[in-house]
Amino acid sequence: MAEQLVDEIHLRGDSTGPTGGHTLIFFVPGNPGLISYYNHFLVTLRSLLRQRESESHGRLPATVYHFHRASLAGFDLALDSRAVRSDLKKSLPLSLVDQVLDTKERLHLTVERVAKEREVTSREIEVIMVGHSIGAYICLEIVSQLQKAAGAKINITASLCLFPTVFELAKSPMGRKVGPLTRIPSFALFMHVISRAIFGLMPLLAVTGLVGLVTKMPQHPARVTASFLQSQWGVWQALHMARDEIANLTHDTWSDELWGGPARPLAVTAATIKSQQSIRSSQDPRPKLHFYWGADDHWVAETTRDELFATRARVADTPDQVNRPVMHVDTNGIGHAFCLDEADTRIVAEKCTAWNLIPENPFTTIDCTSTLSLFTPLQSFSKTYLPLTGGENFNAILCFPLLILNRAEVTFGSPALASMDLVGRGASSSGAGMRAALKCGRLRWLMSSSRRV
């Protein structure tokens, strides 16, 4: 029996032990904005997160993950199918600005719902927004608006932007093809009428088979596409939004606060980059931004992606750049519509799991140089008679208690000695040192030579 397609799914987190807090994963789809395209991705992501939490069970309080995902307004497949519905009074089709307002209000309502169910305040719910394609733009715009709002009640800790289309869509390969069509007067309405006339009277099974034959889509996404073609507003809403995206997302309009620092010139030295960073920015907790770009994304111009890398991305894992976005380029040959392929879906879900569970919070630094000097005789003995614990490794072992008790970066005052720091800092180690890392209470060893880990 075919899985029923829905417009909204809310999954409450569960925990049988002490909780370390509540995190809401709030997903925003791309265009066309049907959440059913992402069923396998979100099920996989939830499974991976629960697996990681179960691995730490008994050692740490578990984070309770709540999931909320919903289609964008105007893409509904059924009437009255949503529990969380905004009060936005706009006639369809909606503009991109309207979609942002609608999503933002639904986010508020969802956070309040989780807080009420768990008897905590809204600020105690950590929100991780995940957006695909234009959904990434919607996430970033909401983050930007909340940063400017005084006394915001939503605590967004991260935004994961998957194959993001944030501006300059008209320069992309697909933008150059679709853009001229969207500028034709009433083009979106005309295609909507044609779609309803052709597919509206056909059985869903027949449309699904036709879509699969023409597009080579697997069964489930073909069925979602067929439902989209038969929906009341879907085609009109999708093309109306596409015109809006191509016409209006022409350049970066966000403030330096969102990006974690001022834009860099396109050609600067590493020293110049460091001098431009604000030390204050590393002390103010802000949402962590992760961008996952396609290597060959037909909805993103390479010049746009490369310029964002050069001007906005984090280029060094140092405290003065901690608030800059981390940007990744896919190396697995994944296309823009990753959610159509199960293998691609799992790869992206695994990456999101790592970003979710390893937040890069500010930390303190402890200089162990003076403390270690007290152990010089013992260090010499161990280096001579216990080579596996000698030298730099001996320093790391001594500082484990400090690291665990203080969630600290431990330094030794000498470049010749190994360093211990939090995973994700990316510091280079010197010699055959051992780095120990503690992140959110999870401890792991990383053996390194003179390379970045």
Side-chain angles (χ1 to χ4, degrees), residues 133-210:
S133 191
I134 197 62
Y137 169 86
I138 294 174
C139 290
L140 293 175
E141 180 62 22
I142 291 174
V143 170
S144 178
Q145 291 182 13
L146 291 176
Q147 285 178 333
K148 298 174 183 177
K153 296 181 179 180
I154 296 182
N155 178 25
I156 298 179
T157 59
S159 181
L160 314 184
C161 304
L162 310 176
F163 301 87
T165 53
V166 290
F167 49 82
E168 295 186 339
L169 272 71
K171 294 183 179 181
S172 68
M174 283 299 293
R176 291 196 297 270
K177 295 177 182 178
V178 176
L181 294 176
T182 62
R183 291 193 291 270
I184 298 174
S186 301
F187 173 75
L189 176 58
F190 174 76
M191 293 303 297
H192 168 71
V193 172
I194 292 296
S195 175
R196 293 280 290 177
I198 295 176
F199 303 111
L201 299 177
M202 296 175 61
L204 177 61
L205 186 61
V207 181
T208 300
L210 183 61

Side-chain angles (χ1 to χ4, degrees), residues 353-367:
T353 302
W355 301 335
N356 283 340
L357 290 177
I358 311 180
E360 296 167 279
N361 296 323
F363 55 90
T364 56
T365 300
I366 301 173
D367 189 347

Side-chain angles (χ1 to χ4, degrees), residues 96-418:
L96 182 57
V97 171
D98 293 333
Q99 293 287 2
V100 172
L101 293 175
D102 181 82
T103 304
K104 181 180 175 183
E105 185 172 349
R106 287 190 293 102
L107 173 61
H108 274 277
L109 294 172
T110 304
V111 170
E112 291 175 358
R113 175 183 180 178
V114 174
K116 183 178 180 180
E117 290 173 349
R118 297 296 173 164
E119 298 181 342
V120 296
T121 65
S122 296
R123 291 290 301 177
E124 291 179 84
I125 306 296
E126 294 189 353
V127 178
I128 296 176
M129 300 194 74
V130 185
H132 172 231
S133 191
I134 197 62
Y137 169 86
I138 294 174
C139 290
L140 293 175
E141 180 62 22
I142 291 174
V143 170
S144 178
Q145 291 182 13
L146 291 176
Q147 285 178 333
K148 298 174 183 177
K153 296 181 179 180
I154 296 182
N155 178 25
I156 298 179
T157 59
S159 181
L160 314 184
C161 304
L162 310 176
F163 301 87
T165 53
V166 290
F167 49 82
E168 295 186 339
L169 272 71
K171 294 183 179 181
S172 68
M174 283 299 293
R176 291 196 297 270
K177 295 177 182 178
V178 176
L181 294 176
T182 62
R183 291 193 291 270
I184 298 174
S186 301
F187 173 75
L189 176 58
F190 174 76
M191 293 303 297
H192 168 71
V193 172
I194 292 296
S195 175
R196 293 280 290 177
I198 295 176
F199 303 111
L201 299 177
M202 296 175 61
L204 177 61
L205 186 61
V207 181
T208 300
L210 183 61
V211 170
L213 180 65
V214 173
T215 66
K216 309 301 181 185
M217 286 184 184
Q219 174 70 18
H220 178 74
R223 181 165 169 262
V224 177
T225 303
S227 300
F228 160 69
L229 293 173
Q230 292 186 324
S231 64
Q232 184 175 4
W233 297 97
V235 173
W236 193 358
Q237 179 63 69
L239 293 175
H240 182 81
M241 266 187 67
R243 181 185 66 179
D244 208 9
E245 295 165 24
I246 294 172
N248 297 323
L249 300 187
T250 56
H251 60 283
D252 179 8
T253 60
W254 290 310
S255 68
D256 292 339
E257 184 178 11
L258 175 74
W259 294 110
R264 295 185 294 265
L266 288 177
V268 291
T269 64
T272 305
I273 290 174
K274 185 172 182 178
S275 68
Q276 289 180 341
Q277 305 302 314
S278 168
I279 297 301
R280 179 178 176 273
S281 69
S282 67
Q283 299 170 352
D284 296 337
R286 291 175 179 166
K288 303 302 178 184
L289 306 182
H290 284 267
F291 286 71
Y292 192 66
W293 304 93
D296 185 20
D297 191 331
H298 56 267
W299 275 110
V300 177
E302 288 189 11
T303 54
T304 301
R305 181 195 66 201
D306 295 344
E307 184 173 327
L308 266 178
F309 259 95
T311 60
R312 295 295 193 180
R314 187 188 305 183
V315 294
D317 294 319
T318 54
D320 53 326
Q321 294 200 48
V322 70
N323 287 321
R324 290 211 179 250
V326 179
M327 296 192 179
H328 320 258
V329 176
D330 171 64
T331 58
N332 300 284
I334 300 176
H336 183 83
F338 74 91
C339 54
L340 303 182
D341 183 274
E342 289 192 4
D344 293 346
T345 287
R346 183 167 185 86
I347 292 173
V348 177
E350 288 173 347
K351 293 182 180 297
C352 289
T353 302
W355 301 335
N356 283 340
L357 290 177
I358 311 180
E360 296 167 279
N361 296 323
F363 55 90
T364 56
T365 300
I366 301 173
D367 189 347
C368 294
T369 307
S370 58
T371 304
L372 290 175
S373 64
L374 301 176
F375 295 92
T376 300
L378 184 58
Q379 180 181 5
S380 300
F381 173 82
S382 67
K383 188 173 183 180
T384 302
Y385 298 102
L386 302 171
L388 291 179
T389 62
E392 299 98 348
N393 292 349
F394 180 83
N395 295 328
I397 293 170
L398 285 179
C399 288
F400 260 131
L402 293 174
L403 179 66
I404 294 172
L405 292 175
N406 294 280
R407 291 186 56 165
E409 176 185 18
V410 183
T411 60
F412 301 97
S414 169
L417 297 178

Side-chain angles (χ1 to χ4, degrees), residues 414-436:
S414 169
L417 297 178
S419 67
M420 295 166 60
D421 66 3
L422 297 182
V423 174
R425 304 292 307 191
S428 298
S429 57
S430 176
M434 176 180 289
R435 293 175 57 227

